[in-house]
Amino acid sequence: MVVATVIVGCVVLAVLAFLVPRLSRHPERGAQRTLGAGARAGGKAPGILGRLFSKPFHSSSRAVSRSGSAGRRSRGRMPF
């Protein structure tokens, strides 16, 4: 369920970043903030479990960042 949500979020963010690059920053930051909160909550587990629980949130945060930047970059490469 979480994986599907992150995938849909990345696709929506990439399309939004392509259509309106400046306005896509706010939703991207909101997604980053939400995933950061999950990573912080998962990191409170003791020892190695903390790293294991927070890792999916860190990788999802990186995916959201990459999809937004990819949409803005592809918009910048368009000839019009």
Side-chain angles (χ1 to χ4, degrees):
M1 181 75 173
V2 174
V3 174
T5 305
V6 170
I7 290 172
V8 169
C10 286
V11 170
V12 168
L13 189 61
V15 170
L16 184 66
F18 182 77
L19 296 176
V20 280
R22 284 189 186 178
L23 296 178
S24 68
R25 298 278 185 182
H26 189 71
E28 181 181 346
R29 286 187 187 131
Q32 295 284 356
R33 186 177 302 140
T34 303
L35 292 169
R40 283 191 303 275
K44 291 184 188 237
I48 295 175
L49 285 177
R51 277 179 279 171
L52 288 176
F53 289 159
S54 68
K55 185 175 180 179
F57 293 101
H58 285 294
S59 60
S60 298
S61 174
R62 193 169 54 234
V64 166
S65 176
R66 283 183 182 175
S67 69
S69 66
R72 284 186 289 275
R73 193 172 352 135
S74 63
R75 171 65 182 255
R77 291 181 182 165
M78 293 298 288
F80 48 87

